[in-house]
Amino acid sequence: MRPGQTPRLTELAAERASGALLCDAGTVYLADGQVVHAESPKAPGLDVLLTTGGRLTPDSWREAVDHTAAAGRVGRFLVDSGRLTDAELEICHLGALFDAAWFALGPGSGPRGFQRGATHWLGPVRPVGAVAVEREIRRRGKLLDGVWPYPGVDTEPVVLRRPDGHLPPVTRRQRAVLGLADGVRTPAGIARTLGRPAFHTLLDVRRLAAAGYIETPRSGSRVPSPPRLGPAAVDFAEPDAPMLRRLRDALEAHL
């Protein structure tokens, strides 16, 4: 890497670097070249996933942060005090990590600097290889574009469309998204209100836009009208890798 050049995640992994990769839309933390945490203002943090879903009370979370954040042992405190099991912490942490990494390193964002030696107050949970993180970011981008290739729906307020003919059925998760589509909340705001990973909400919003439930913001190019499809014509399955499928199922069970 040339002096002054902004490092890439895989380059930092190759040199077993430790610190914080500062990105346009978030921060990715590494220890010995592995990703140990990620955060983004566009994605609900671990605190939101745990407290909004009811797994922890806000007071329990604040106590953990107040007592151990300075020592970087918040995660360990939650387990040692009996508030979470190791498995619960790992599952929720992986969900928050991949969610924030998508926004920090995905389209429209990217690295802008590296703060060597920086650590996160959560402390060690389970590291993830940089190659796996970048592979998952690419997979998520292809998944979104394959559902509805209009990224404007990801950032604009979610607006319901006037029903036009027969619309396919929606899942329970998608009904919750539609219930918060008030023309003011963005997908990120809906995710935070529901206490769900933001990427899953983006995916629901794109599927709902493709199915004709949600307006797609107009840009320079014409947006086609969603097709009128029968129930069997809409595929609501998400082709996760095995680890991420287990993660998704466990998150839905706990949250």
Side-chain angles (χ1 to χ4, degrees), residues 153-165:
V153 298
D154 296 348
T155 55
E156 295 295 319
V158 181
V159 179
L160 296 177
R161 293 184 77 236
R162 188 185 301 273
D164 180 19

Side-chain angles (χ1 to χ4, degrees), residues 11-237:
E11 293 171 340
L12 293 168
E15 65 177 71
R16 299 181 62 85
S18 296
L21 180 59
L22 309 177
C23 303
D24 297 321
T27 304
V28 178
Y29 291 85
L30 297 96
D32 294 325
Q34 291 191 297
V35 178
V36 292
H37 192 65
E39 58 188 16
S40 169
K42 297 184 178 182
L46 186 62
D47 57 333
V48 176
L49 297 179
L50 289 170
T51 59
T52 303
R55 188 59 192 84
L56 290 180
T57 66
D59 286 343
S60 293
W61 177 263
R62 281 193 295 270
E63 180 186 7
V65 172
D66 290 346
H67 280 73
T68 58
R73 291 183 52 82
V74 172
R76 196 68 257 156
F77 177 85
L78 291 171
V79 173
D80 292 345
S81 63
R83 288 164 172 79
L84 294 175
T85 66
D86 276 310
E88 286 174 325
L89 176 62
E90 181 178 308
I91 287 167
C92 291
H93 175 250
L94 281 173
L97 186 157
F98 278 112
D99 200 35
W102 158 255
F103 293 98
L105 297 169
S109 181
R112 54 182 175 83
F114 186 63
Q115 186 176 352
R116 293 191 179 274
T119 58
H120 193 269
W121 46 261
L122 181 65
V125 180
R126 175 184 173 178
V128 181
V131 172
V133 171
E134 292 203 335
R135 182 172 60 242
E136 176 61 11
I137 289 171
R138 291 192 298 271
R139 188 195 70 85
R140 292 187 177 204
K142 292 177 181 178
L143 179 59
L144 286 175
D145 287 344
V147 169
W148 191 241
Y150 297 94
V153 298
D154 296 348
T155 55
E156 295 295 319
V158 181
V159 179
L160 296 177
R161 293 184 77 236
R162 188 185 301 273
D164 180 19
H166 177 72
L167 298 179
V170 297
T171 66
R172 176 177 57 85
R173 287 177 55 86
Q174 291 163 345
R175 282 196 298 273
V177 172
L178 290 173
L180 294 174
D182 56 5
V184 177
R185 291 184 178 94
T186 63
I190 290 175
R192 198 171 300 278
T193 300
L194 293 174
R196 295 177 180 172
F199 178 82
H200 291 181
T201 304
L202 294 187
L203 194 56
D204 283 334
V205 167
R206 290 220 196 183
R207 284 172 171 157
L208 290 166
Y213 285 95
I214 288 174
E215 293 283 359
T216 299
R218 267 37 180 185
S219 60
S221 58
R222 179 177 178 274
V223 178
S225 298
R228 297 182 183 181
L229 302 174
V234 179
D235 178 14
F236 289 105

